[in-house]
Amino acid sequence: MPRMTMIEAIRDAMHVTMTKDPNVVVFGEDVGYFGGVFRCTQGLQQKFGRSRCFDAPINESGIVGAAIGMAAYGLRPCVEIQFADYVYPGYDQIVSEAARLRYRSNGDFTAPLTIRMPTGGGIHGGQTHSQSPEALFTHVSGLKTVVPSNPYDAKGLLIAAIEDDDPVIFLEPKRLYNGPFDGHHDRPVTPWAKHPLGDVPEGHYTVPLGKAVVRRPGKAVTVLAYGTMVHVAEAAAEETGIDAEVIDLRTLLPLDLDTIIASVTRTGRCVVVHEATLTSGFGAELCALVQEHCFYSLEKPIARVAGWDTPYPHAQEWDYFPGPKRIGEALIEAMEG
């Protein structure tokens, strides 16, 4: 199998679906001739032409609104919002139109629409290029929300998302585009070429939406994570020597609750990790579900490690970012008593 970065895997997913289905179209700001700010769409316009991969004006509500209309009439748009931080002008279209279309039309119309967005920090992007807005989408009935952590999953999940008949929010942790990141910013970057999940099959395959995976088996404590935090949690487990089971959720909605319950019931302890701000983050929903379904198995209160309740800072990025030290402290605390 070829080795790919996450950028290459995402690009390949669009290439595969565009080749398979002429109704798949790709557009957004600078995605055509320029190939996207992170080059995820590089070469697609040259391959498929300007009618299937094209640039849009700098207007997120227009991008999303046009895509909803296309989807309602039979196309399968895969649009890019240049940074997740920029999605807010299009949020009303996503929530009020795309998410409701199947319901409000009694199934006469659907919105087979995928909205790709680079998310998260770790690249010195400051407050307007580092946000993690996933909780805003998981709160909305009718949307599916996906956050891959590696190239293999990114390709398979994106193909599944594009082929899905309902709108999918596809959040791409930009800190993982070129290699796994364990939270140690002062160390050299490890390329995906040296990681087993950089092996990406050629051609068509899917990773099912709504299915988590155990990245690191363990018996002492369950760690629930997604995106970049999967790798940081693995590093924290290794550095503390705690036998932690790290679950990569992959899809936040639909959520693989069965895998979570099975793990927490076995370990009796749970730490929830995400990069977004703590208050009302998706971790709160995870804690509530674990409490509801695993109460009699819990040996300690569920712990959360997340970003602070402030705008994402520029000068103090690594004080904000939930690194292996903070996660390690939560793991140690979870094992005490």
Side-chain angles (χ1 to χ4, degrees), residues 29 46 59 148 157 188 213 219 264 268 302 305 308 313 335:
E29 297 166 15
Q46 290 85 340
N59 184 330
L157 288 166
V213 64
K219 299 178 181 179
V264 177
I302 305 162
V305 183
W308 306 118
M335 296 307 300

Side-chain angles (χ1 to χ4, degrees), residues 69-150:
M70 291 177 177
Y73 283 92
L75 297 178
R76 289 187 177 271
C78 178
V79 302
E80 177 180 299
I81 303 297
Q82 201 165 82
F83 287 84
D85 315 60
Y86 302 165
V87 74
Y88 305 116
Y91 187 71
D92 179 47
Q93 296 276 12
I94 295 170
V95 172
S96 301
E97 304 297 337
R100 315 297 190 208
L101 189 59
R102 181 191 288 274
Y103 180 85
R104 72 189 296 182
S105 69
N106 196 29
D108 287 342
F109 291 93
T110 59
L113 159 68
T114 302
I115 303 174
R116 294 180 39 250
M117 292 179 269
T119 189
I123 65 162
H124 305 292
Q127 62 181 5
T128 58
H129 296 79
S130 305
Q131 297 172 61
S132 298
E134 63 272 8
L136 297 177
F137 301 106
T138 59
H139 187 66
V140 180
S141 300
L143 298 178
K144 298 176 181 178
T145 304
V146 179
V147 190
S149 69
N150 59 80

Side-chain angles (χ1 to χ4, degrees), residues 14-317:
M14 288 183 279
H15 185 277
V16 167
T17 53
M18 293 176 79
T19 301
K20 181 183 177 184
D21 185 352
N23 288 320
V24 177
V25 295
V26 172
F27 64 98
E29 297 166 15
D30 297 320
V31 306
Y33 176 81
F34 189 62
V37 67
F38 291 103
R39 301 299 189 269
C40 288
T41 57
Q42 191 171 39
L44 294 182
Q45 186 176 91
Q46 290 85 340
K47 172 70 175 180
F48 297 100
R50 295 176 64 182
S51 65
R52 294 191 61 202
C53 179
F54 54 90
D55 296 321
I58 302 174
N59 184 330
E60 286 76 17
S61 63
I63 292 169
V64 175
I68 294 169
M70 291 177 177
Y73 283 92
L75 297 178
R76 289 187 177 271
C78 178
V79 302
E80 177 180 299
I81 303 297
Q82 201 165 82
F83 287 84
D85 315 60
Y86 302 165
V87 74
Y88 305 116
Y91 187 71
D92 179 47
Q93 296 276 12
I94 295 170
V95 172
S96 301
E97 304 297 337
R100 315 297 190 208
L101 189 59
R102 181 191 288 274
Y103 180 85
R104 72 189 296 182
S105 69
N106 196 29
D108 287 342
F109 291 93
T110 59
L113 159 68
T114 302
I115 303 174
R116 294 180 39 250
M117 292 179 269
T119 189
I123 65 162
H124 305 292
Q127 62 181 5
T128 58
H129 296 79
S130 305
Q131 297 172 61
S132 298
E134 63 272 8
L136 297 177
F137 301 106
T138 59
H139 187 66
V140 180
S141 300
L143 298 178
K144 298 176 181 178
T145 304
V146 179
V147 190
S149 69
N150 59 80
Y152 177 89
D153 282 354
K155 180 180 175 180
L157 288 166
L158 183 53
I159 292 174
I162 294 171
E163 294 179 347
D164 197 281
D165 287 334
D166 288 305
V168 180
I169 305 299
F170 197 87
L171 295 163
E172 301 163 6
K174 64 181 81 74
R175 191 60 177 81
L176 299 182
Y177 270 151
N178 291 304
F181 180 60
D182 63 4
H184 290 290
H185 63 279
D186 51 349
R187 296 179 182 177
V189 175
T190 301
W192 282 116
K194 295 183 179 180
H195 194 283
L197 290 173
D199 284 334
V200 179
E202 296 179 342
H204 183 279
Y205 72 93
T206 61
V207 174
L209 306 183
K211 186 62 179 175
V213 64
V214 176
R215 291 289 174 213
R216 184 186 191 275
K219 299 178 181 179
V221 56
T222 299
V223 182
L224 305 180
Y226 50 91
T228 304
M229 289 298 110
V230 172
H231 304 279
V232 182
E234 288 179 313
E238 293 294 332
E239 291 166 20
T240 58
I242 292 174
D243 189 20
E245 179 153 287
V246 178
I247 295 178
D248 181 354
L249 298 179
R250 300 200 288 198
T251 303
L252 306 187
L253 204 68
L255 181 67
D256 185 357
L257 189 56
D258 290 342
T259 295
I260 294 171
I261 292 172
S263 179
V264 177
T265 300
R266 186 176 62 254
T267 65
R269 293 171 168 82
C270 183
V271 175
V272 176
V273 183
H274 60 66
E275 188 178 340
T277 50
L278 179 72
T279 300
S280 300
F282 188 68
E285 178 67 17
L286 293 172
C287 290
L289 289 168
V290 171
Q291 179 78 358
E292 177 183 352
H293 293 278
C294 306
F295 178 77
Y296 291 105
S297 299
L298 289 170
E299 302 289 341
K300 290 274 290 190
I302 305 162
R304 281 188 291 167
V305 183
W308 306 118
D309 288 334
T310 70
Y312 203 110
H314 188 273
Q316 292 85 30
E317 178 160 20

